[in-house]
Amino acid sequence: MKLIKIATINGLLLCSLQATAQPSVAQVEQELIGHLNRIQYWRFEYSPEDTSFAGEVSPADSLNDANRKLEAYLLQVAESQPALLKANLKIPENADLKIVNSDDKKLRIYCWDTQTGGTMKVYRAVAQYEDNGRVKSMMLDGGTGSKEDLNPGQSYLSIYTLNAGKKYYLPVYTAIYSTKDVMKGIRALAVEGGELKPAVIFETNNTTVDKIEYTYDYAANYDFKKMKESHVLHMDKQKLYVPLVEGDKLNGKWQVYIWNGNKFVYDKNAK
């Protein structure tokens, strides 16, 4: 009987130690800010005259390493600290970490500019999502900025949620290819078999795909009086409105896709 009591006490102590080992939301905020500051340092603040390093350093390699460490930390803490999925993280705007959430609070995307690009921005994104009460994480997309990796990734702007028997998450994103060339898109994701996977629900050009994207001249679509873009991809209930591009300009017209119960289908007569 005493052995059982001792084992129980030891088990409770172990659980208590494990619980106290979990970082608080405030600690996670500070850790994230630290990673982001290191990225900023290697991109903008490092000077060859800095004598605090014991040996020779490569700013480019150090910048890539700082991004990999931020990525690894997010993937780890997103699972070890499930409360982060719904926490109101206080990250300064100039820290360059964007966080977008689904309206059901079961999907969160963390994305940041790696600062490894030039006029073409290179982004990384980590998804944190809930699957049957368990919180998981995965690398959503993004490039390392190395010469071998040509994937610039995307910066995520918002997440639509579609409940149609099955739940679909529809993140809206953008990519910057140059000083004028910008891509915007929407993709479909769903939790299946315990994983967050692409969902093939957009029918376009007689093909069903998991995303719709368009590239255009950003400045030509910007309303400088209103200080915002004139035509932006958006959803209204179960209709998806995608700006129509002619050349590299948006012509003010829309391609309208309507949900038919199984997928979004282009309807040339819809408004």
Side-chain angles (χ1 to χ4, degrees):
M1 199 64 168
K2 289 182 179 179
L3 288 175
I4 294 175
K5 287 184 178 179
I6 291 172
T8 302
I9 291 171
N10 286 338
L12 290 172
L13 286 172
L14 179 60
C15 289
S16 176
L17 287 171
Q18 289 175 336
T20 56
Q22 293 295 332
S24 67
V25 170
Q27 288 173 321
V28 172
E29 289 172 349
Q30 292 307 307
E31 187 73 21
L32 289 172
I33 291 171
H35 282 288
L36 293 163
N37 285 342
R38 283 187 281 278
I39 291 171
Q40 294 291 320
Y41 170 79
W42 287 113
R43 177 63 179 86
F44 299 110
E45 300 170 20
Y46 168 75
S47 169
E49 284 73 39
D50 191 335
T51 59
S52 60
F53 300 100
E56 186 177 349
V57 297
S58 166
D61 290 345
S62 298
L63 178 57
N64 282 326
D65 184 61
N67 276 291
R68 284 191 290 268
K69 287 179 177 176
L70 173 55
E71 174 191 320
Y73 178 72
L74 272 171
L75 288 168
Q76 178 270 320
V77 79
E79 294 195 1
S80 66
Q81 184 70 310
L84 288 179
L85 183 59
K86 300 178 182 179
N88 181 23
L89 291 174
K90 296 179 176 63
I91 306 294
E93 285 189 21
N94 62 0
D96 212 16
L97 178 69
K98 188 173 182 61
I99 301 173
V100 294
N101 307 286
S102 60
D103 55 11
D104 65 356
K105 305 296 183 183
K106 292 186 177 183
L107 172 62
R108 169 171 280 187
I109 299 175
Y110 306 83
C111 57
W112 68 98
D113 184 343
T114 66
Q115 303 297 345
T116 58
T119 55
M120 182 180 76
K121 300 297 183 181
V122 180
Y123 299 101
R124 282 184 180 170
V126 169
Q128 182 184 29
Y129 63 98
E130 184 178 309
D131 170 43
N132 291 323
R134 181 182 173 188
V135 175
K136 301 179 180 180
S137 66
M138 63 174 284
M139 192 67 191
L140 196 55
D141 52 35
T144 62
S146 67
K147 292 181 180 178
E148 295 77 20
D149 189 347
L150 301 178
N151 177 13
Q154 294 97 28
S155 177
Y156 285 82
L157 308 173
S158 60
I159 304 173
Y160 291 106
T161 305
L162 177 66
N163 292 294
K166 182 177 181 179
K167 182 174 289 185
Y168 296 101
Y169 296 106
L170 308 174
V172 177
Y173 53 89
T174 188
I176 299 174
Y177 296 146
S178 70
T179 52
K180 74 178 188 68
D181 295 318
V182 170
M183 181 271 285
K184 278 196 171 64
I186 186 169
R187 65 188 302 182
L189 301 168
V191 178
E192 293 182 355
E195 296 181 3
L196 187 66
K197 298 180 179 180
V200 182
I201 61 169
F202 301 111
E203 185 180 287
T204 177
N205 297 323
N206 297 317
T207 303
T208 307
V209 296
D210 67 303
K211 63 182 67 173
I212 294 176
E213 299 176 344
Y214 59 99
T215 304
Y216 63 101
D217 182 337
Y218 178 80
N221 187 51
Y222 195 82
D223 188 327
F224 288 94
K225 290 183 179 179
K226 296 181 179 180
M227 298 300 290
K228 64 179 183 179
E229 287 194 77
S230 303
H231 300 87
V232 181
L233 181 152
H234 63 280
M235 277 186 63
D236 182 8
K237 297 180 180 178
Q238 293 190 344
K239 287 184 179 180
L240 172 63
Y241 293 82
V242 180
L244 190 61
V245 181
E246 287 185 357
D248 60 355
K249 307 292 190 298
L250 305 186
N251 65 5
K253 299 178 181 179
W254 302 95
Q255 290 179 307
V256 182
Y257 295 82
I258 299 178
W259 180 255
N260 69 0
N262 296 301
K263 55 189 174 182
F264 282 98
V265 179
Y266 171 63
D267 186 338
K268 64 180 181 180
N269 297 315
K271 295 181 180 180

